[in-house]
Amino acid sequence: MNGENKIKAPANPFQPEPARIVRTYPLTDDVNFFQIRIADMEKALSFQYQTGQFAMISVLGAGEAPFSISSTPSRPGLLEFCIRKAGTVTNALFQMKENDLIGLRGPYGNTFPIEKMQGKDIVIVMGGLGAAPLRSVLLYLLDNRDQFGRVLLLHGAKRPAEMLLREEFFSLKEREDLECYLTVDEDDTGEWPADVGLVTQLFKKLGNINPENTFSLVCGPPIMYKFVLKEILKLNIPKDQILMTLERRMKCGVGKCGHCAIDYIYTCLDGPVFTYWDVIHMRELI
Amino acid sequence: MKIVKLKKTNLFLFLEIISKEADFWAPVKKSPDKHIFEVIEDFSKINLDYTRTILPPKKIMLPSDFNMFQASNTKYTPDFSHVSKKIIFGIHPCDIHALVIMDKFYSHEYNDPYYQKARDNTLILGHSCWPDEYCMCKSTHTHVVKEGYDLFFTDLEDTYVVWIGSSRGDDLIRLKPELFDEDLTDKDIQNFSQRREERDKAFTNDINFEAMPDLMELKYQNLLWDKLGEACLACGSCTNVCPTCNCYNVEDKPILGKNCSNISRCWDSCTLENYSGVAGGENFREKRSDRLKLFYTHKLQSYISKYGKPACVGCGRCVVTCPVDINVYTVSKSLDNEEVDTFWNRLSKEVTK
Ligand SMILES: Cc1cc2nc3c(=O)[nH]c(=O)nc-3n(C[C@H](O)[C@H](O)[C@H](O)COP(=O)(O)OP(=O)(O)OC[C@H]3O[C@@H](n4cnc5c(N)ncnc54)[C@H](O)[C@@H]3O)c2cc1C
Ligand code: SF4
Ligand code: SF4
Ligand code: FES
């Protein structure tokens, strides 16, 4: 009756792996870019993740926190993160230098439904730190470009200095197979070479969209969802083809500490990627 | 199921034999109406005439604060010093059900080795009980047990009927088989059934738990929650005493003068203010009423939807503990439109006067 019939996950899901900061540099005033490699070579190469997932990063003496993986599984080896200075752990991370050791475990959470997205047009809308999880899927789409239809990117920031990964996005803008629109609410430099205005205003540039054949991926600050979702719904994209990744307090990443609970689910296990249908039928999601 | 008999006069002798290499936990009386589980060496301190202990046995499996890792930059070494060979004697059916719920929870998707190792090293020796006016376990169907224990002792005047629930339980009996009688007489069976019938009648509470998932959904915006939110002290007592509450926090505690830390895990409570706070000052449940909704969604709804039974085992601890009468009994009754005498109802009457 008590026979083992299920293979359980390996020993200790809470145990961080020592990992090294390969490179780190500022993206904006309060966001830094981090390239990280798990110290043990074999474990580094066997770390398999998918777009949309996150990892728990720990700094000795400070603690542990969840961060979206910003790199793409189509370029294995290094893991990349965009991290905003927000509190204890992130402050400690900002103190660290290249070659310093941190702890890392994961990957956790669900993923973007890449298989279902194949052959479809993809509209990605990002604002602020929303670029962190969405960069992963964007690069994945570009690395597997022939598997998808049109790929459109709308990226908004308050001011030029606040746009994450500006240079990278400007060079992507040169690609013919990506329709890339970059906008700032307000151009305080007078030299912004792209759009000025709210990200919602970019929707008129999308041209003809076949809603049934389109997936839209959204991530940004809470206020952005409200307005961007309105625009996406106007396009008539089906509710379960609108995807977003959401943030909650997380202390374990594996469904045990309870902090990320919403309704009857745990964001760390059943999220962080949700559909718009999830959002309207589950309480408290946004 | 194997069932044997033990003379009550032989109980201590048996406990003596089985507890040689283990910490022996049992209920002990602390004040006229307060009992706790404690490690004991002198069996005469055991007090089986109790209804519920202040804290449930979860404190024995996962203490309120324990170390998960000894960490340095180059290594996170798991620390299992909270695990030792243990026996818990005198645990009641509701608390055994809570352990079974924990077993499921801690092995769901990811296995929690801190719970699992503690559980694997602990023998559960259950004991029968008699309900008081706060027990709700008949409504939650947790007043009898079929799994989750190694031995279960039913008290029948001068003897115990001992149910053997596991192979490890069977091993215990085999340490001194001559103490046990394998033949239950017709009289024993009659006594057992009679006790069971009388006990069933002794329950005074009846809560319609089956109706709760729908009521939670339908009344999610009900004013009731505002009243509860106004009364709640956000003290976290309810979650501490609840045998199925399992939320925790993790803390990195640096060791002074050394470049290493203890990574510790301590109980947390969804009723506390910052439970759902995230960076940027955003707090998804700033209001006490929102946090109570989370607690009751967990107890009365989500678990029922997932596993077909509530995450409440009806132990009544929240009923005797919450200083402002917010508990599974009063909340369920109120959701079911019954008038209950509570601090918060009196409070809102005061206000409207
Ligand atoms: C799935 C997921 C993906 C994420 N991805 C990213 C990402 O890619 N990049 C990124 O920068 N961030 C990301 N985050 C957010 C990130 O996890 C948080 O910013 C991080 O946890 C902050 O940790 P900290 O220790 O630096 O801050 P903390 O010290 O924990 O403080 C953060 C905030 O929590 C509150 N707080 C914490 N403790 C207390 C207390 N005791 N009292 C009062 N308030 C308190 C405060 O509001 C404070 O501002 C993600 C979060 C999730 C859930
Ligand atoms: S909710 Fe209350 S009655 Fe139910 S198990 Fe928890 S403490 Fe016991
Ligand atoms: S419901 Fe009662 S016990 Fe729980 S936090 Fe509020 S006041 Fe404290
Ligand atoms: S982060 Fe701990 S349960 Fe989800």
Side-chain angles (χ1 to χ4, degrees):
Chain A
M1 242 171 78
N2 280 318
E4 287 293 307
N5 50 15
K6 212 178 141 196
I7 298 167
K8 300 248 165 78
N12 196 329
F14 307 104
Q15 187 166 5
E17 265 305 307
R20 218 170 268 290
I21 297 179
V22 178
R23 265 186 92 194
T24 173
Y25 53 85
L27 294 176
T28 68
D29 266 1
D30 60 351
V31 181
N32 275 11
F33 190 69
F34 289 87
Q35 277 185 327
I36 288 166
R37 191 203 300 277
I38 294 173
D40 182 307
M41 203 46 155
E42 226 165 298
K43 285 181 180 149
L45 292 173
S46 60
F47 188 97
Q48 302 230 345
Y49 67 97
Q50 290 174 51
T51 63
Q53 290 193 290
F54 65 94
M56 299 293 289
I57 291 185
S58 46
V59 182
L60 196 72
E64 192 178 44
F67 299 97
S68 312
I69 305 176
S70 289
S71 45
T72 163
S74 46
R75 301 174 199 176
L78 284 177
L79 296 169
E80 294 171 337
F81 299 88
C82 306
I83 296 179
R84 166 174 289 154
K85 205 199 279 201
T88 322
V89 176
T90 47
N91 270 305
L93 270 173
F94 273 57
Q95 303 286 318
M96 302 195 85
K97 293 182 296 291
E98 284 165 14
N99 231 16
D100 282 351
L101 281 167
I102 55 161
L104 185 139
R105 60 188 177 95
Y108 298 124
N110 65 354
T111 69
F112 285 112
I114 291 289
E115 266 168 39
K116 284 193 206 152
M117 286 157 57
Q118 273 167 0
K120 302 285 194 311
D121 296 341
I122 316 286
V123 179
I124 297 178
V125 188
M126 52 172 83
L129 213 49
L134 291 182
R135 174 183 184 255
S136 173
V137 66
L138 175 69
L139 296 182
Y140 183 92
L141 300 180
L142 296 176
D143 285 348
N144 299 277
R145 191 60 193 85
D146 54 334
Q147 294 172 20
F148 303 91
R150 287 170 72 193
V151 179
L152 303 107
L153 170 68
L154 315 182
H155 185 179
K158 276 203 193 100
R159 280 173 285 275
E162 284 174 40
M163 182 171 287
L164 296 194
L165 301 156
R166 276 182 308 276
E167 290 75 17
E168 181 173 318
F169 285 115
F170 272 108
S171 72
L172 288 179
K173 204 170 171 0
E174 302 297 308
R175 284 179 73 133
E176 305 232 310
D177 56 0
L178 171 70
E179 297 163 58
C180 175
Y181 301 99
L182 308 173
T183 186
V184 290
D185 297 353
E186 171 200 342
D187 177 20
D188 53 359
T189 60
E191 292 171 5
W192 183 249
D195 293 284
V196 177
L198 297 175
V199 77
T200 42
Q201 289 168 5
L202 295 177
F203 277 82
K204 55 180 185 282
K205 305 205 175 192
L206 294 182
N208 265 343
I209 294 279
N210 172 2
E212 292 298 327
N213 198 45
T214 304
F215 270 82
S216 184
L217 281 47
V218 191
C219 189
I223 178 83
M224 196 190 94
Y225 285 107
K226 216 173 129 190
F227 298 105
V228 164
L229 283 171
K230 223 188 240 168
E231 294 299 326
I232 293 177
L233 289 170
K234 273 191 220 157
L235 298 175
N236 288 323
I237 297 176
K239 291 189 280 286
D240 52 3
Q241 289 176 198
I242 303 172
L243 303 160
M244 41 199 112
T245 92
L246 302 181
E247 192 186 310
R248 279 296 179 277
R249 192 177 185 80
M250 291 186 183
K251 284 287 172 187
C252 74
V254 291
K256 306 298 180 214
C257 78
H259 282 86
C260 69
I262 308 174
D263 217 352
Y264 54 89
I265 60 135
Y266 288 113
T267 317
C268 64
L269 297 178
D270 306 314
V273 179
F274 292 96
T275 68
Y276 183 62
W277 164 242
D278 294 330
V279 168
I280 52 179
H281 93 274
M282 283 198 289
R283 307 179 297 231
E284 292 196 300
L285 222 45
I286 50 177
Chain B
M1 181 83 57
K2 233 177 119 182
I3 307 168
V4 292
K5 266 195 322 185
L6 173 71
K7 278 212 174 60
K8 271 195 176 173
T9 45
N10 280 335
L11 177 68
F12 285 4
L13 192 59
F14 176 61
L15 297 181
E16 184 81 41
I17 292 162
I18 63 169
S19 65
K20 285 211 172 85
E21 281 159 27
D23 299 336
F24 187 86
W25 292 75
V28 168
K29 195 177 196 138
K30 278 287 147 177
S31 71
D33 62 342
K34 296 258 187 286
H35 292 78
I36 65 168
F37 278 107
E38 208 170 65
V39 181
I40 56 166
E41 279 166 18
D42 173 5
F43 296 129
S44 68
K45 283 177 88 183
I46 301 175
N47 188 319
L48 291 167
D49 188 22
Y50 81 104
T51 312
R52 63 185 68 74
T53 51
I54 300 177
L55 289 178
K58 71 177 179 185
K59 73 165 188 183
I60 306 170
M61 298 294 169
L62 297 171
S64 60
D65 192 340
F66 69 91
N67 215 19
M68 293 178 89
F69 296 100
Q70 291 174 353
S72 76
N73 258 338
T74 47
K75 205 164 181 198
Y76 286 78
T77 312
D79 182 346
F80 287 104
S81 50
H82 74 291
V83 177
S84 61
K85 285 225 171 307
K86 294 183 179 96
I87 294 173
I88 309 179
F89 177 66
I91 168 171
H92 288 168
C94 59
D95 282 344
I96 295 175
H97 275 275
L99 286 176
V100 173
I101 288 177
M102 294 281 191
D103 291 348
K104 278 213 189 90
F105 176 78
Y106 283 118
S107 61
H108 179 69
E109 298 219 15
Y110 292 88
N111 201 20
D112 184 337
Y114 297 94
Y115 177 79
Q116 203 58 54
K117 279 205 177 169
R119 182 71 157 108
D120 289 347
N121 279 283
T122 306
L123 290 165
I124 303 296
L125 275 47
H127 192 278
S128 57
C129 55
W130 203 262
D132 68 6
E133 67 267 40
Y134 306 119
C135 291
M136 295 167 283
C137 55
K138 191 146 178 274
S139 306
T140 49
H141 308 301
T142 52
H143 60 312
V144 286
V145 267
K146 296 208 168 54
E147 53 169 344
Y149 60 86
D150 298 294
L151 295 176
F152 191 88
F153 294 71
T154 307
D155 183 334
L156 290 184
E157 288 179 20
D158 59 348
T159 46
Y160 287 114
V161 172
V162 182
W163 301 70
I164 306 175
S166 75
S167 153
R168 294 193 306 178
D170 194 53
D171 292 344
L172 293 179
I173 301 288
R174 280 170 205 282
L175 288 174
K176 196 80 175 165
E178 55 272 33
L179 292 180
F180 296 89
D181 186 350
E182 299 219 354
D183 297 316
L184 267 74
T185 62
D186 286 348
K187 182 89 181 99
D188 294 329
I189 297 171
Q190 199 189 334
N191 282 348
F192 183 87
S193 306
Q194 192 183 343
R195 182 188 187 281
R196 187 178 177 140
E197 264 172 47
E198 283 168 15
R199 177 172 175 261
D200 277 353
K201 283 188 204 136
F203 285 95
T204 50
N205 278 326
D206 187 16
I207 296 178
N208 187 1
F209 277 99
E210 280 75 20
M212 287 307 138
D214 287 350
L215 286 176
M216 277 301 297
E217 196 69 44
L218 292 165
K219 298 205 165 167
Y220 200 71
Q221 304 300 346
N222 198 285
L223 279 177
L224 169 69
W225 295 108
D226 299 331
K227 283 198 228 165
L228 298 178
E230 257 166 54
C232 174
L233 310 169
C235 65
S237 305
C238 48
T239 59
N240 278 344
V241 301
C242 177
T244 66
C245 272
N246 43 47
C247 291
Y248 68 82
N249 232 324
V250 181
E251 233 183 295
D252 182 312
K253 297 179 177 162
I255 300 169
L256 272 182
K258 291 190 191 160
N259 201 7
C260 44
S261 288
N262 283 324
I263 313 292
S264 78
R265 169 163 160 179
C266 46
W267 294 358
D268 198 358
S269 170
C270 62
T271 62
L272 300 182
E273 165 138 28
N274 202 50
Y275 183 78
S276 304
V278 297
E282 181 92 19
N283 188 338
F284 292 101
R285 298 187 187 92
E286 215 160 357
K287 293 200 336 229
R288 288 171 196 207
S289 55
D290 286 342
R291 302 200 293 276
L292 288 174
K293 281 181 188 177
L294 178 66
F295 181 96
Y296 285 98
T297 299
H298 177 226
K299 298 300 167 205
L300 301 177
Q301 183 178 24
S302 43
Y303 212 78
I304 303 185
S305 327
K306 253 190 195 159
Y307 299 102
K309 56 184 192 182
C312 167
V313 294
C315 72
R317 285 188 179 89
C318 56
V319 184
V320 298
T321 303
C322 176
V324 293
D325 305 329
I326 301 172
N327 56 57
V328 159
Y329 178 80
T330 56
V331 172
S332 307
K333 288 291 179 194
S334 304
L335 285 171
D336 218 356
N337 280 338
E338 277 183 48
E339 183 77 24
V340 276
D341 179 30
T342 59
F343 172 80
W344 36 273
N345 272 334
R346 293 192 294 274
L347 187 76
S348 58
K349 278 187 194 132
E350 286 290 308
V351 173
T352 49
K353 250 184 216 166

